[in-house]
């Protein structure tokens, strides 16, 4: 579901981007605005980065987002007819997305690109998301500028406008950090932190999803179940995965969220307790017991301050998989601010322990921790993102390195390319 400038000016609710929308816009002679731009032809596949496409996309992003329609002729800014832009191949689409990333700084992710119409009236609609990373700059050799929409025209920002936009970016970062901390504290509350260590993982989208309708229980179920599959693309089952210990197929409603409740309810399974939530604004949260698992079925459990590094890896893997699954449902690419911590209120220092090459517990190099400092990161997931394995590996590595552990055991090493 998308709410583009076409939907807005035609008086439509959010919905698919279709050829009928473009035809209606031409029939009603819609006029270009700050968030709607008509283009007769597509930029070339080769040389897209050097065309006007990056400038047009950056201008829309700097102006709060908008829609560019290729395949419409205009007179005095008003749509007057259709033009066939030809077939948009996958390679051509990749070139457009690449231009938005490589020719604009900071890069713009999450372009929504739609092919509509039949031969003779084929059009391409590009929906540019709003951005909190402005000003987005265009570089030409040694020069740079920040384009912005001025009603139907694209102009260059003045120095004071650039200054104001940088200030707004810093303010947004501060507010996003506050929202992430509130989400973290809310997720950590209510667990037996005095008895065992808990991993708390939260993720908040840089631009919250406030336009789309609330996800249904069925959509939440599919997102949880998809994440349980995605996590195994880069990890194995040697760690205790939170998503294997929650009720994936029957999420329960909560305050603006769907929660997969804990299903490890017996005394023998308490070390597996976990909860996971998908929030209506796109946020993700996981709480998982990671301290004090039994060494095997015949032994007493370890102290609650002892944490297998594999359990941390598995929980981090599941958190990123939930992000990827949530973004997959919404489409496009999204940036998430992520915070992962380990909370424990017992008296003993925490010890993150690994295993040697034979599978035996090994903690000679572990660094006792009086407090685990939460690890912050930015994760980009969604269409066109090819290094998600590398991102989850790096996040898990930061977490276990804090306890003196060098190597990951559950998350596989990403390909070198």
């Amino acid at each position: 579901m998308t709410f583009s400038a076409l939907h807005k000016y035609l008086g439509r609710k959010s919905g698919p981007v279709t050829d009928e929308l473009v035809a209606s816009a031409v029939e009603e002679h819609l006029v270009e605005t700050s968030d709607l731009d008509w283009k007769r032809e597509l930029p070339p596949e080769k040389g897209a980065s050097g065309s006007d496409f990056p400038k047009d996309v950056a201008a829309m992003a700097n102006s709060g987002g908008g829609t560019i329609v290729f395949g419409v002729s205009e007179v005095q800014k008003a749509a007057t007819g259709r033009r066939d832009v030809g077939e948009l191949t996958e390679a051509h689409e990749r070139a457009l997305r690449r231009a938005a990333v490589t020719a604009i700084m900071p890069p713009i992710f999450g372009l929504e690109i739609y092919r509509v119409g039949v031969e003779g009236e084929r059009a391409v609609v590009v929906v540019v998301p709003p951005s909190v990373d402005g000003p987005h700059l265009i570089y030409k050799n040694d020069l740079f500028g920040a384009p912005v929409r001025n009603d139907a025209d694209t102009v260059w920002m003045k120095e004071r406008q650039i200054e104001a936009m940088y200030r707004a970016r810093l303010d947004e970062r501060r507010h996003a950090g506050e929202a992430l901390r509130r989400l973290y504290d809310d997720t950590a509350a209510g667990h037996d932190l005095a008895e065992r260590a808990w991993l708390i993982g939260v993720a908040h989208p840089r631009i919250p999803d406030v336009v789309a309708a609330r996800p249904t229980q069925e959509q939440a179920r599919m997102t949880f179940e998809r994440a349980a599959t995605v996590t195994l693309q880069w990890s194995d089952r040697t760690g205790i995965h939170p998503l294997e210990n929650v009720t994936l197929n029957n999420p329960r409603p909560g305050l603006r969220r769907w929660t997969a409740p804990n299903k490890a309810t017996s005394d023998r399974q308490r070390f597996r307790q976990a909860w996971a939530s998908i929030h209506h604004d796109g946020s993700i949260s996981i709480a998982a017991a990671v301290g004090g698992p039994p060494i095997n079925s015949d032994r007493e459990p370890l102290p609650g301050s002892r944490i297998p590094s594999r359990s941390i890896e598995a929980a981090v893997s599941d958190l990123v998989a939930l992000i990827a699954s949530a973004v997959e449902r919404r489409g496009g690419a999204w940036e998430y601010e992520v915070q992962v911590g380990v909370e424990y209120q017992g008296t003993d220092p925490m010890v993150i322990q690994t295993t040697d090459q034979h599978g035996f517990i090994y903690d000679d190099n572990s660094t006792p921790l009086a407090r685990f400092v939460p690890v912050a990161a930015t994760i980009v997931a969604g269409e066109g993102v090819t290094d998600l394995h590398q991102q989850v590996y790096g996040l898990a590595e930061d977490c276990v390195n804090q306890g003196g552990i060098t190597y990951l055991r559950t998350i596989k090493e990403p390909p070198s390319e």
Side-chain angles (χ1 to χ4, degrees):
M1 302 289 283
T2 299
F3 188 72
S4 67
L6 292 174
H7 292 86
K8 181 169 74 171
Y9 294 117
L10 291 172
R12 310 289 181 84
K13 297 180 179 179
S14 59
V17 174
T18 64
D19 183 62
E20 188 273 332
L21 280 177
V22 178
S24 296
V26 172
E27 184 179 346
E28 296 188 18
H29 303 296
L30 286 188
V31 177
E32 289 181 326
T33 64
S34 61
D35 58 353
L36 180 61
D37 195 10
W38 306 124
K39 299 291 183 184
R40 295 166 64 89
E41 299 175 346
L42 278 170
E45 177 183 339
K46 295 183 178 179
S49 296
S51 70
D52 283 341
F53 181 73
K55 184 180 76 171
D56 294 332
V57 171
M60 285 291 185
N62 285 334
S63 305
T67 303
I68 307 172
V69 183
F70 296 92
V72 173
S73 56
E74 51 89 10
V75 175
Q76 297 297 315
K77 311 296 183 182
T80 57
R82 303 284 296 271
R83 292 179 60 87
D84 191 290
V85 298
E87 180 185 4
L88 178 68
T89 63
E90 290 186 12
H92 199 165
E93 180 178 337
R94 284 196 298 271
L96 297 182
R97 294 187 185 279
R98 191 180 305 115
V101 171
T102 60
I104 302 172
M105 288 298 293
I108 295 174
F109 298 97
L111 293 184
E112 298 178 38
I113 301 178
Y114 302 93
R115 303 166 176 83
V116 300
V118 297
E119 188 171 353
E121 290 188 340
R122 288 172 293 189
V124 172
V125 181
V126 177
V127 179
V128 182
S131 174
V132 293
D133 282 328
H136 293 276
L137 307 178
I138 302 297
Y139 285 82
K140 292 289 187 181
N141 299 321
D142 294 331
L143 305 176
F144 69 87
V148 67
R149 296 285 288 179
N150 179 19
D151 194 26
D153 298 315
T154 296
V155 297
W156 298 99
M157 287 186 187
K158 305 299 184 184
E159 189 270 342
R160 285 188 178 275
Q161 292 174 290
I162 295 176
E163 177 189 6
M165 192 160 281
Y166 273 120
R167 189 181 302 115
R169 185 200 292 187
L170 294 175
D171 288 343
E172 181 278 331
R173 287 280 186 177
R174 186 178 68 255
H175 296 319
E178 293 170 354
L180 195 65
R181 284 191 293 273
R182 287 195 298 271
L183 182 60
Y184 184 92
D185 292 342
D186 175 59
T187 305
H191 304 298
D192 57 349
L193 303 180
E195 296 184 29
R196 58 177 51 78
W198 282 73
L199 181 136
I200 308 298
V202 296
H204 184 69
R206 292 288 309 282
I207 302 175
D209 192 355
V210 296
V211 175
R214 292 185 175 192
T216 64
Q217 184 185 39
E218 177 63 13
Q219 289 173 328
R221 180 191 66 78
M222 294 175 63
T223 302
F224 281 122
E225 291 182 345
R226 173 63 177 154
T229 300
V230 170
T231 191
L232 297 178
Q233 293 180 7
W234 49 65
S235 67
D236 57 34
R237 285 195 165 95
T238 57
I240 300 174
H241 284 271
L243 290 180
E244 293 183 348
N245 294 288
V246 298
T247 306
L248 299 175
N249 62 357
N250 189 25
R252 309 310 303 154
L255 178 58
R256 302 190 185 114
R257 72 191 72 180
W258 287 101
T259 297
N262 169 59
K263 67 178 183 181
T265 56
S266 70
D267 288 341
R268 293 176 61 87
Q269 295 179 316
R270 292 185 65 192
F271 68 94
R272 292 179 172 270
Q273 288 181 324
W275 280 263
S277 294
I278 301 168
H279 299 247
H280 296 337
D281 67 354
S283 297
I284 302 296
S285 56
I286 280 182
V290 292
I295 300 175
N296 56 54
S297 59
D298 300 324
R299 300 281 300 273
E300 287 293 318
L302 293 169
S305 59
R306 293 275 172 162
I307 307 163
S309 62
R310 292 180 185 272
S311 295
I312 293 178
E313 293 179 48
V316 170
S317 177
D318 286 4
L319 176 68
V320 178
L322 267 174
I323 294 172
S325 181
V327 171
E328 184 179 284
R329 180 182 67 82
R330 292 182 295 173
W334 293 69
E335 288 186 63
Y336 274 76
E337 296 298 336
V338 174
Q339 182 169 312
V340 178
V342 178
E343 299 294 327
Y344 179 59
Q345 296 175 355
T347 56
D348 296 332
M350 290 181 286
V351 175
I352 300 175
Q353 56 192 31
T354 186
T355 55
D356 60 22
Q357 58 185 349
H358 303 293
F360 294 105
I361 291 177
Y362 179 77
D363 58 10
D364 288 0
N365 292 334
S366 298
T367 304
L369 298 171
R371 177 177 176 269
F372 186 98
V373 179
V375 176
T378 299
I379 296 291
V380 183
E383 187 176 355
V385 178
T386 59
D387 64 343
L388 198 52
H389 188 170
Q390 181 67 55
Q391 293 182 74
V392 69
Y393 190 91
L395 179 58
E397 201 170 32
D398 286 343
C399 291
V400 301
N401 284 171
Q402 191 169 158
I405 305 302
T406 302
Y407 302 107
L408 301 187
R409 301 299 188 189
T410 291
I411 298 177
K412 309 162 192 173
E413 187 170 355
S416 57
E417 63 272 14

